[in-house]
């Protein structure tokens, strides 16, 4: 698709980024605005590969070659129709998705792959600029009412799809703003919160009702939802952080990463009273990295977000530690198409040392490191962390080079273990061995209660959450109506606007 010889003529040029020294001074988005000419050239690189593996790489099954071709032909509105037929929120995925589609791009076998994520972001921003993103209001209502618990990407996607099907949808969110992880987890320098609000406004115009400060199971009784709604979608996410149970864990200065990040999101938004999801003041007070030696424990995206936020606070030093070995391949030191270890050949997601924009801004990264002990001062404050290097010797795990690193702020970014259980217990919902909701085909042991997103599958990507929400909505629609016209996860060129749902 695109220009037949485009992949030979044009080099890969994804989103441009602001200068490091400039962007560290604020929380504005790191990436600059898209350029139409640049986007068109990048779309031209999409080759006529015959079997587009990018479809399979994308959890949403986005129809990538077709919207690339439309961009090359400068038919931007058609490109938007194609993109929005499979993806409810390309403005989110175009900013924060790790782009597994690019890892599966056929061009990526021996050349840098197509900059799909950048093209996706360009299409949706062009659509907003030209007024193509309009409320999709169903032609008629079914009279059925659906409650969606949680307004993260899974909940928003489910709500959007169910509303298109004609059901009355009410979304319950325990925080004071809609968006879940999008709103109070991802830093503004990756996803400006005006982008979230812009989409929520459209959804409200479509007839979806959002209720904030509504913690179902606490200040909203679960029984009320069972009584008042024809179906319920649980999309609360995986929210219990995985902490590190070692000596000194009671010291002041050790916090889950998400508390640190959500506080900063509130701070950027000008919310003076720093509160948790229940509206209470954080018991740990305001968390700032200013002038402190910071250790981020965990090498994933959340850890990277903590690095970027700490740099903007003016931390004295930042060390990010990861227990896994350092990948042998570095994304900044090899050509893009050589990003692969032998264990992850194309079109699999490659095992690679990834350098994020936050890492570019400065931090020390340590791999194969085990955190052994938190060290405190006489007042019970954290002052250091004892670590050791981990290696395998003759098939046995060996720890060596034990040492203490100065640290006054430890941020635990080791992932999440499972969703909160109180609501599930109230509804008598069965859980699996990991305490995630057991929901085969998205339906729980309670026939009118469904589940989607991280709450069902465990912590994962935003794009997977959107996919889960869409698929769950279809199952809910089938449950309520006996059949569904909502798009299944397949290749379809039919826009929702054309079929009236």
């Amino acid at each position: 698709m695109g220009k037949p010889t485009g992949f030979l003529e044009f080099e890969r040029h994804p989103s441009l980024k602001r200068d490091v020294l400039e962007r560290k001074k604020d929380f504005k988005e790191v990436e600059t605005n898209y350029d139409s000419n640049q986007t068109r050239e990048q779309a031209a690189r999409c080759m006529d590969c015959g079997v587009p593996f990018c479809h399979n790489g994308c959890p949403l099954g986005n129809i990538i070659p077709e919207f690339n071709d439309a961009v090359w032909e400068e038919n931007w509105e058609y490109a938007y129709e194609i993109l929005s037929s499979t993806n409810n929120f390309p403005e989110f995925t175009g900013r924060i998705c790790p782009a597994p589609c690019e890892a599966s791009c056929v061009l990526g076998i021996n050349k840098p792959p197509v900059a799909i994520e950048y093209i996706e972001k360009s299409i949706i921003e062009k659509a907003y600029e030209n007024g193509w993103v309009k409320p999709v209001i169903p032609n008629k209502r079914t009279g059925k009412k659906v409650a969606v618990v949680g307004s993260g990407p899974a909940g928003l996607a489910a709500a959007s799809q169910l509303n298109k099907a004609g059901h009355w949808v009410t979304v319950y969110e325990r925080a004071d703003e809609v968006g879940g992880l999008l709103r109070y987890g991802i830093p503004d320098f990756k996803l400006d919160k005006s982008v979230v609000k812009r989409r929520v406004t459209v959804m409200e115009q479509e007839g979806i009702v959002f209720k904030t400060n509504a913690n179902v199971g606490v200040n909203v009784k679960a029984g009320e939802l069972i009584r008042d709604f024809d179906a319920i979608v649980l999309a609360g996410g995986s929210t219990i952080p995985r902490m590190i149970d070692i000596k000194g864990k009671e010291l002041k200065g050790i916090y889950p990463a998400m508390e640190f990040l959500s506080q900063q999101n509130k701070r950027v938004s000008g919310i003076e009273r720093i509160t948790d999801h229940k509206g209470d003041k954080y018991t740990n007070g305001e968390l700032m990295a200013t002038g402190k030696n910071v250790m981020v424990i965990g090498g994933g995206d959340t850890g990277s977000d903590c690095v970027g936020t700490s740099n903007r606070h003016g931390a004295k030093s930042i060390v990010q530690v990861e227990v896994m070995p350092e990948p042998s391949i570095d994304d900044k030191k090899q050509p893009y198409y050589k990003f692969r270890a032998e264990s992850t050949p194309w079109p699999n997601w490659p095992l690679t040392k990834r350098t994020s924009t936050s890492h570019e801004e400065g931090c020390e990264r340590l791999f194969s490191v085990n955190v052994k002990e938190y060290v405190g001062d006489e007042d019970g404050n954290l002052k250091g962390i004892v670590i050791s290097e981990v290696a395998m010797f003759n098939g046995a795990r060996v720890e060596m080079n034990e040492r203490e690193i100065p640290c006054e702020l430890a941020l635990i970014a080791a992932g999440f273990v499972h969703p909160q259980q109180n609501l599930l217990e109230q509804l008598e919902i069965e859980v699996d061995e990991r305490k995630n909701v057991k929901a085969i085909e998205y339906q729980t042991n309670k026939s009118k209660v469904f589940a989607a997103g991280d709450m069902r599958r465990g912590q994962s990507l935003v794009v997977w959450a959107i996919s889960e929400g869409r698929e769950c909505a279809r199952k809910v629609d089938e449950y309520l109506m006996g059949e569904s016209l909502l798009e299944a996860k397949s290749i379809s060129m039919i826009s929702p606007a054309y079929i009236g749902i």
Side-chain angles (χ1 to χ4, degrees), residues 312-468:
R312 284 160 176 76
H313 283 182
K316 183 177 181 180
S317 70
I318 306 172
V319 177
Q320 183 179 24
V321 300
E322 168 61 52
V323 70
M324 298 298 291
E326 181 175 2
S328 59
I329 300 175
D330 191 320
D331 68 352
K332 295 301 180 184
K333 294 181 180 179
Q334 280 84 24
Y336 200 101
Y337 56 90
K338 293 183 179 179
F339 275 16
R340 300 185 179 276
E342 291 183 0
S343 60
T344 54
W346 178 90
N348 295 316
W349 180 250
L351 176 61
T352 303
K353 179 183 177 183
R354 292 177 171 83
T355 302
S356 71
T357 57
S358 294
H359 294 140
E360 293 171 352
E361 294 160 5
C363 79
E364 181 181 5
R365 303 173 72 185
L366 302 177
F367 293 84
S368 297
V369 165
N370 184 33
V371 177
K372 297 182 68 68
E373 179 184 345
Y374 299 117
V375 181
D377 60 19
E378 60 275 9
D379 297 320
N381 298 308
L382 180 69
K383 71 171 186 177
I385 297 180
V386 177
I387 66 169
S388 64
E389 296 177 18
V390 179
M392 298 300 294
F393 184 74
N394 289 336
R397 175 183 165 116
V398 178
E399 295 190 18
M400 53 191 177
N401 297 333
E402 185 174 301
R403 63 192 188 275
E404 180 180 328
I405 293 180
C407 177
E408 295 84 47
L409 177 62
L411 301 172
I412 314 300
F416 300 87
V417 290
H418 52 69
Q420 295 188 4
Q421 301 294 299
N422 61 325
L423 173 59
L424 304 180
E425 292 169 354
Q426 288 184 32
L427 293 174
E428 299 180 336
I429 300 298
E430 291 183 2
V431 296
D432 61 20
E433 62 278 3
R434 297 185 299 164
K435 294 188 177 180
N436 294 324
V437 176
K438 185 184 292 186
I440 300 173
E441 294 293 316
Y442 302 93
Q443 192 170 29
T444 71
N445 59 301
K446 302 293 184 180
S447 60
K448 69 188 299 183
V449 182
F450 296 74
D454 291 1
M455 180 175 269
R456 186 185 85 101
R457 67 178 287 125
Q459 68 171 65
S460 189
L461 305 175
V462 166
V463 67
W464 266 115
I466 296 173
S467 175
E468 288 258 320

Side-chain angles (χ1 to χ4, degrees), residues 37-104:
N37 292 329
Q38 177 187 341
T39 305
R40 187 165 176 265
E41 285 188 359
Q42 294 308 297
R45 299 185 69 244
C46 186
M47 57 192 294
D48 190 5
C49 58
V51 180
F53 278 77
C54 54
H55 287 169
N56 186 61
C58 175
L60 288 166
N62 283 340
I63 312 167
I64 295 163
E66 283 74 8
F67 69 60
N68 283 337
D69 185 60
V71 169
W72 168 247
E73 296 294 340
E74 298 188 88
N75 193 345
W76 289 87
E77 187 170 7
Y78 184 49
Y80 165 65
E81 290 178 0
I82 296 169
L83 176 59
S84 61
S85 71
T86 56
N87 187 351
N88 299 73
F89 313 120
E91 63 267 45
F92 304 154
T93 55
R95 286 172 165 83
I96 59 176
C97 183
C101 54
E102 295 186 14
S104 298

Side-chain angles (χ1 to χ4, degrees), residues 119-302:
I119 296 168
E120 186 175 305
K121 176 184 174 182
S122 302
I123 292 171
I124 187 62
E125 291 306 315
K126 175 76 79 170
Y128 273 108
E129 288 174 8
N130 288 276
W132 301 329
V133 183
K134 299 176 182 178
V136 179
I137 301 174
N139 295 328
K140 64 178 182 178
R141 293 287 181 179
T142 65
K144 303 291 186 180
K145 297 191 296 182
V146 182
V148 177
V149 181
S151 69
L156 291 178
S160 177
Q161 293 296 99
L162 288 166
N163 183 73
K164 288 178 184 178
H167 309 306
W168 293 108
V169 181
T170 302
V171 179
Y172 291 84
E173 170 54 54
R174 66 184 182 181
D176 55 357
E177 294 276 354
V178 173
L181 185 73
L182 300 168
R183 182 63 185 84
Y184 285 131
I186 297 171
D188 291 70
F189 57 77
K190 288 174 62 178
L191 175 64
D192 190 279
K193 299 308 170 261
S194 64
V195 176
V196 180
K197 290 182 178 180
R198 180 177 64 179
R199 175 59 69 173
V200 171
T201 298
V202 173
M203 295 178 70
E204 288 175 329
Q205 294 169 350
E206 292 174 334
I208 299 172
V209 175
F210 292 95
K211 293 189 176 182
T212 55
N213 297 308
N215 193 355
V216 178
V218 180
N219 62 354
V220 176
K221 300 301 180 184
E224 294 178 8
L225 269 60
I226 295 292
R227 182 193 66 206
D228 297 339
F229 290 89
D230 299 292
I232 300 170
V233 175
L234 302 178
S238 183
T239 55
I240 304 300
R242 179 180 288 106
M243 301 302 284
I244 300 177
D245 188 10
I246 58 175
K247 183 179 179 181
K249 64 181 181 180
E250 74 286 349
L251 294 170
K252 298 176 183 177
I254 307 164
Y255 308 105
M258 203 51 63
E259 183 171 340
F260 176 71
L261 295 174
S262 62
Q263 281 199 18
Q264 185 55 45
N265 282 339
K266 284 178 174 282
R267 209 172 281 118
V268 171
S269 297
I271 301 175
E272 295 180 4
R273 183 170 176 263
I274 305 298
T275 59
D276 65 12
H277 61 265
K278 294 181 291 187
D280 300 326
K281 285 189 176 181
Y282 282 113
T283 56
N284 296 320
E286 292 198 40
L287 307 184
M288 295 291 293
T290 309
K292 296 178 181 178
N293 296 297
V294 178
M295 180 178 288
V296 179
I297 303 173
D301 288 340
T302 300

